[in-house]
Amino acid sequence: MNYGQFLNMVPEFYLVLILLAVFVVDFCMHKSEKKLDCLSAVTCALLVALTARIALLAEPAEAFGGLYVASAAVNVMKVILAFGTLIVVIMAHPWLKTCEHLAGEFYMLIISTLLGMYIMMSSGNFLLFFLGLETASVPLACLVAFDKWKKNSAEGAAKYILVATFSSGVMLYGISFIYAAAGTLYFGDVAAALAALMGGQVVETACGATAFQSPALAVMGLVFFFSGLGFKISLVPFHFWTADTYEGAPTPVTGYLSVISKGAAAITLCIILMKVFQPLIYYWEYLLYIVIVLSITVANLFAIRQSELKRFMAFSSISQAGYIMLAVVGNSQLGIASLTYYVLVYIVANMAVFTVINVVEQNNGGRTDMAAYNGFYQTNPKLSFLMTLALFSLAGIPPFAGMFSKFFVFMAAAEQGSAAAYFVVFVALVNTVISLYYYLLIVKAMYITKTDTPLPAFKSDANTKLAMAICTFGVALFGICSCIYEWIAAAS
């Protein structure tokens, strides 16, 4: 084996170096009073360097005979996820002051999950894909349980790890069916074998195995694989863990789960469906239609009933996952570009909301219920205004970036041209109105609902201000700066 091929894995190599750097700083400053500030500064600086390195210099690469494949589209998504992780690290600073002695572990776990997501997105083989998925999932369970003094955190982590274990087992079961049908785990060879199976032919794969003539095993493998990854994206009906986990996890971790983890899983599922399971599109296309309609509709209806804001955002994220997967319906390059752009816009809008939730939680005795925001505009008008902008973007109201991201995913889905695709787009449009209603419930609480004891005025720390500035800039400008979408589309 030529171990020099590891150097082709540039983003992953840089993440390992960041992980080691954070470990060394944490070890050397173990008893320092400035440990948290130093760790935060080092992590942020290295993530900025990683984002710039991938955005400006990363090229499509392949290693180990196709085991690792980093396309231009995947590199763009890596830039976006590193950017989102940077926002999470910045906004987590106020919360980490309550558990400063564990700051190093928090940053190392965050970077480890990002490393797993990078490997998962760049996999060219189902085995490497699974290893990347588990590398991301196990540290995430630790992050959910990070606030170990709270019962809800332990409960949320237990539910997350149990569901993650079950979904991994289902996925492995599906991968075993795919291997039985195709005789290989390499994406390119599986696609060729499935094409031959659907044509009633027998194909000899690169490893010399012979595929069966019946596509039944492949279809079963597809269903189980889709179900397993559906748990990770929290699509309906695989979403039951989401609300409890989001409520129990620390708020920065909830934000990370809702955008970064979801974005990585969504782009991976999109690529695998389009490139590996393309011969089985007749089967997974209608399965996708059903899941999208259920995810958007059920999540919107349940969101209306929520009074706890983190549970509210959990159902919002399930609905947003449905919109993200809407881009896959078109089965085209436009779909990949639209999905990537939607994730970018979703990151800045959703993280703006979670940044406000986090700073309010820190200044209001840990309350995250919606009633805590009654009369919020009277005492904290700036934060109320910025949160309103983010909520309007999530709802898709013009001229904010969320409107443009929804437009592109609708256009990608409608490009498919079938009556079923048009119906799904219509349902998604109707649900946009429903989502606007429940997002306005928060706006109503902040601006209209009267209370004798509104949250006292407080000053946000520098990290919160920086995170809000980055998110607000993205919400306001990502939609009108066409160069952002053109950059994404060119890579797709």
Side-chain angles (χ1 to χ4, degrees):
M1 179 185 292
N2 180 11
Y3 291 100
Q5 293 183 75
F6 280 110
L7 298 178
N8 292 338
M9 304 168 65
V10 175
E12 291 78 11
F13 179 74
Y14 271 71
L15 271 181
V16 172
L17 292 182
I18 293 174
L19 187 62
L20 292 175
V22 172
F23 174 78
V24 170
V25 172
D26 182 42
F27 180 78
C28 294
M29 301 191 68
H30 182 63
K31 297 183 179 180
S32 173
E33 295 181 357
K34 297 183 178 180
K35 173 184 174 181
L36 175 59
D37 293 335
C38 185
L39 277 171
S40 178
V42 169
T43 306
C44 288
L46 292 175
L47 283 174
V48 169
L50 171 68
T51 305
R53 172 65 179 82
I54 304 174
L56 300 176
L57 300 175
E59 298 288 341
E62 183 175 325
F64 305 109
L67 191 69
Y68 173 92
V69 180
S71 64
V74 168
N75 284 335
V76 168
M77 182 57 81
K78 288 179 179 179
V79 172
I80 293 172
L81 295 186
F83 169 70
T85 304
L86 173 65
I87 298 175
V88 173
V89 170
I90 294 172
M91 63 91 74
H93 190 272
W95 166 71
L96 283 172
K97 289 181 180 179
T98 62
C99 50
E100 191 169 348
H101 61 292
L102 296 175
E105 286 82 351
F106 175 80
Y107 292 129
M108 284 186 279
L109 287 170
I110 283 281
I111 296 166
S112 297
T113 62
L114 189 61
L115 175 62
M117 293 172 197
Y118 275 19
I119 294 173
M120 177 178 69
M121 291 187 296
S122 297
S123 56
N125 182 291
F126 280 107
L127 178 60
L128 186 64
F129 160 80
F130 184 76
L131 291 175
L133 183 67
E134 293 307 297
T135 302
S137 297
V138 175
L140 269 177
C142 299
L143 286 170
V144 173
F146 207 80
D147 206 348
K148 58 185 180 181
W149 296 275
K150 292 185 178 180
K151 177 183 176 181
N152 286 347
S153 186
E155 179 184 351
K159 290 181 179 179
Y160 177 80
I161 196 66
L162 287 173
V163 172
T165 303
F166 177 72
S167 63
S168 296
V170 170
M171 187 180 299
L172 273 178
Y173 193 48
I175 291 174
S176 68
F177 277 120
I178 294 168
Y179 182 75
T184 178
L185 292 176
Y186 283 90
F187 289 170
D189 291 339
V190 170
L194 293 180
L197 286 172
M198 296 307 293
Q201 304 173 13
V202 179
V203 63
E204 185 172 323
T205 62
C207 61
T210 301
F212 301 135
Q213 292 186 2
S214 171
L217 282 176
V219 174
M220 288 295 295
L222 166 65
V223 171
F224 284 119
F225 177 82
F226 184 90
S227 301
L229 207 50
F231 279 105
K232 309 297 182 183
I233 308 175
S234 62
L235 295 168
V236 175
F238 316 112
H239 67 291
F240 293 102
W241 61 275
T242 311
D244 291 330
T245 298
Y246 280 30
E247 182 183 10
T251 300
V253 177
T254 304
Y256 188 81
L257 272 170
S258 68
V259 289
I260 312 301
S261 176
K262 194 181 301 293
I267 190 67
T268 305
L269 179 59
C270 176
I271 292 173
I272 291 177
L273 287 178
M274 289 185 178
K275 296 186 176 180
V276 181
F277 293 115
Q278 178 65 28
L280 301 178
I281 186 172
Y282 175 81
Y283 297 96
W284 62 257
E285 186 176 45
Y286 287 96
L287 174 65
L288 195 61
Y289 290 157
I290 296 170
V291 168
I292 289 172
V293 170
L294 287 176
S295 297
I296 296 175
T297 305
V298 172
N300 281 346
L301 295 177
F302 274 85
I304 295 173
R305 304 176 56 192
Q306 303 307 311
S307 59
E308 210 284 333
L309 203 51
K310 287 167 72 174
R311 294 184 70 88
F312 174 92
M313 293 304 297
F315 285 104
S316 168
S317 74
I318 295 169
S319 175
Q320 297 290 346
Y323 284 107
I324 290 173
M325 296 312 298
L326 195 63
V328 186
V329 171
N331 191 34
S332 64
Q333 296 302 111
L334 176 62
I336 296 178
S338 301
L339 187 153
T340 306
Y341 180 69
Y342 197 104
V343 170
L344 172 62
V345 173
Y346 181 49
I347 283 175
V348 291
N350 216 46
M351 288 311 304
V353 175
F354 276 107
T355 301
V356 175
I357 294 174
N358 183 56
V359 70
V360 170
E361 184 180 12
Q362 299 305 314
N363 289 276
N364 195 25
R367 288 183 63 186
T368 57
D369 56 294
M370 201 176 297
Y373 292 81
N374 291 342
F376 189 53
Y377 179 77
Q378 302 172 24
T379 54
N380 295 274
K382 293 181 180 179
L383 281 178
S384 299
F385 177 70
L386 296 179
M387 189 170 187
T388 301
L389 296 184
L391 291 170
F392 282 173
S393 182
L394 288 173
I397 296 177
F400 305 109
M403 186 274 288
F404 295 95
S405 63
K406 278 188 168 60
F407 170 77
F408 284 123
V409 296
F410 290 158
M411 188 169 62
E415 189 184 45
Q416 206 273 346
S418 67
Y422 289 139
F423 173 76
V424 173
V425 172
F426 173 75
V427 172
L429 284 169
V430 172
N431 275 276
T432 301
V433 179
I434 300 175
S435 67
L436 173 60
Y437 168 75
Y438 65 72
Y439 286 127
L440 285 175
L441 292 176
I442 305 176
V443 178
K444 175 178 177 289
M446 293 190 296
Y447 288 88
I448 300 176
T449 304
K450 302 296 182 181
T451 179
D452 295 330
T453 56
L455 181 67
F458 59 85
K459 289 187 177 180
S460 304
D461 64 291
N463 287 274
T464 298
K465 291 179 179 178
L466 177 58
M468 286 303 301
I470 295 172
C471 294
T472 305
F473 177 85
V475 166
L477 296 182
F478 282 171
I480 60 177
C481 292
S482 59
C483 58
I484 300 292
Y485 180 78
E486 290 172 359
W487 170 61
I488 294 174
S492 300

